[in-house]
């Protein structure tokens, strides 16, 4: 990774991303790419949704500068561009879930059809090589859509989606080892440096704040998903299909927990709410920055645990078992905490409504008593009439 071309490409990617942020800020309002506060979104003022487009522009500029990719990487970039446009349209017009899923599915199937890359094996688990055959194609579609939407769901507090992406990229480099496919790691390096200017702006260190938007979360999740699939399915890397789970553990676990809770409550799994892990931490009293640090630390710790499990040579089956156990603990714990928080909120709301009702009743009683006292007083008009007589 010390090739001068790679270093130059990374510099170009970072500079292009920063320049795109500066330019796109001025066009955000005319294009309608602005996020306004709402019942579910508690940010202050209107914020431009241009971070994702800037990240993609940075990656694209770096890729053109590097120029040493294989056809798969160029097809991946082209399809990511389609999703960047889809995300921008979603930011502007709030597209339906069905429309987004349809386009995402078509894009993923196009990549599979043109490159032949998909999840064809789950690796050697408990003494068996689990080959998937044709089932691998729909599984790949579900996996890619799941991860890009997982990053979309995690984009709930400043810096979270971008920081988790950086942790995932570092985990990929850690698991894959020095013999990994060069082009895939270069793509991840370009993505990482393109994210840095966005994080600086999103966290308030570089001018007016911006958000990533759906364009950004789609592109980031999409590039990560395909890189993980390619590295885990091709020979020459140390990254197994099970290791993939540890690289993106926090977004995956949060998505599983949220979907499980929504389905249990009879709600649509795609209906947004404030039940994600960052919302749980905020409602527990942590500020946005502390919640961000806590989740980044959690993601890094899980990647480290997965790396240690892998290095111990316990096997993919044991590694998968460990992840499933942790996932079960996480889902149960997170949902129990969320249920308690919702119960506490309902209790506080009921108490406030009851107190408000009592105040209204007391005010009404005082008004009635005041009116009764007024009826017993002599009328000023009677003495006046008597005087005139």
């Amino acid at each position: 990774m010390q090739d001068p071309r790679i270093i130059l490409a990374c510099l170009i990617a970072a500079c292009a991303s920063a320049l795109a942020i500066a330019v796109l800020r001025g066009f955000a309002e005319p294009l309608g790419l602005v996020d306004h506060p709402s019942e579910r979104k508690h940010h202050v003022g209107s914020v431009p949704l241009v971070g994702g487009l800037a990240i993609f522009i940075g990656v694209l500029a770096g890729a053109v500068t590097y120029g040493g990719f294989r056809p798969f990487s160029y097809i991946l970039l082209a399809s990511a561009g389609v999703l960047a446009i889809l995300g921008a349209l979603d930011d502007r017009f709030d597209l339906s879930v069905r429309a987004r899923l349809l386009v995402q599915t078509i894009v993923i199937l196009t990549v599979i059809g043109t490159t032949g890359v998909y999840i064809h094996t789950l690796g050697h688990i408990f003494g068996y090589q689990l080959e998937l055959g044709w089932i691998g194609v729909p599984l790949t579609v579900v996996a890619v859509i799941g991860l890009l939407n997982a990053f979309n769901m995690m984009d709930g507090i400043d810096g979270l989606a971008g920081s988790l992406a950086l942790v995932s990229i570092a985990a990929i480099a850690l698991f894959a080892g020095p013999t990994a496919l060069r082009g895939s790691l270069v793509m991840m390096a370009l993505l990482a440096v393109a994210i840095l200017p966005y994080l600086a702006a999103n966290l308030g260190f570089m001018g007016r704040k911006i958000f990533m938007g759906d364009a950004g979360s789609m592109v980031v999740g999409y590039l990560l998903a395909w890189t993980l699939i390619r590295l885990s399915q091709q020979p020459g890397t140390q990254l197994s299909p099970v290791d993939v789970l540890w690289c993106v553990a926090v977004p995956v676990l949060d998505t599983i927990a949220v979907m499980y809770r929504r389905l249990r409550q009879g709600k649509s799994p795609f209906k947004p709410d404030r039940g994600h892990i960052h919302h749980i931490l905020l409602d527990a009293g942590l500020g946005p920055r502390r919640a961000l640090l806590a989740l980044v630390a959690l993601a890094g710790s899980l990647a480290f645990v997965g790396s240690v499990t892998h290095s111990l040579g316990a096997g993919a089956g044991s590694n998968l078992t460990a992840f499933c156990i942790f996932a079960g603990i996480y889902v149960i714990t997170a949902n129990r905490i969320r249920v308690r928080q919702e119960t506490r909120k309902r209790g506080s709301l009921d108490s406030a409504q009851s107190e408000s009702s009592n105040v209204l009743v007391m005010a009404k009683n005082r008004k009635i008593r005041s009116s009764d006292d007024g009826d017993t007083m002599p009328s000023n008009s009677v003495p006046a009439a008597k005087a005139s007589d």
Side-chain angles (χ1 to χ4, degrees), residues 187-209:
M187 184 69 72
M188 289 296 95
L190 295 177
L191 178 60
V193 297
I195 288 174
L196 294 178
Y198 159 73
L199 284 177
N202 181 236
L203 293 172
F205 300 133
M206 192 177 78
R208 182 186 173 192
K209 177 184 288 190

Side-chain angles (χ1 to χ4, degrees), residues 213-227:
D214 287 344
S217 58
M218 282 190 191
V219 168
V220 169
Y222 183 76
L223 292 178
L224 281 171
W226 273 114
T227 299

Side-chain angles (χ1 to χ4, degrees), residues 149-156 254-255 258-259 262 269 276 278:
N149 283 288
F151 271 92
N152 180 277
M153 293 178 180
M154 294 304 294
D155 190 23
D254 179 69
T255 300
V258 169
M259 295 286 189
R262 290 174 182 171
H276 294 282
H278 46 278

Side-chain angles (χ1 to χ4, degrees), residues 250-335:
V250 170
V252 169
L253 293 176
D254 179 69
T255 300
I256 293 173
V258 169
M259 295 286 189
Y260 174 74
R261 176 178 52 79
R262 290 174 182 171
L263 289 173
R264 283 200 63 182
Q265 294 175 345
K267 300 178 182 177
S268 168
F270 300 103
K271 184 179 180 180
D273 58 21
R274 290 184 57 81
H276 294 282
I277 181 62
H278 46 278
H279 296 133
I280 293 174
L281 294 179
L282 293 175
D283 289 344
L286 272 69
R289 293 296 171 88
R290 289 187 177 183
L292 171 64
L293 292 176
L295 290 174
V296 170
L298 176 61
S301 299
L302 291 176
F304 178 74
V305 169
S307 176
V308 170
T309 306
H310 176 88
S311 63
L312 292 176
S318 300
N319 204 353
L320 178 61
T321 301
F323 185 86
C324 290
I325 291 173
F326 187 86
I329 295 173
Y330 176 92
V331 170
I332 293 172
T333 303
N335 283 324

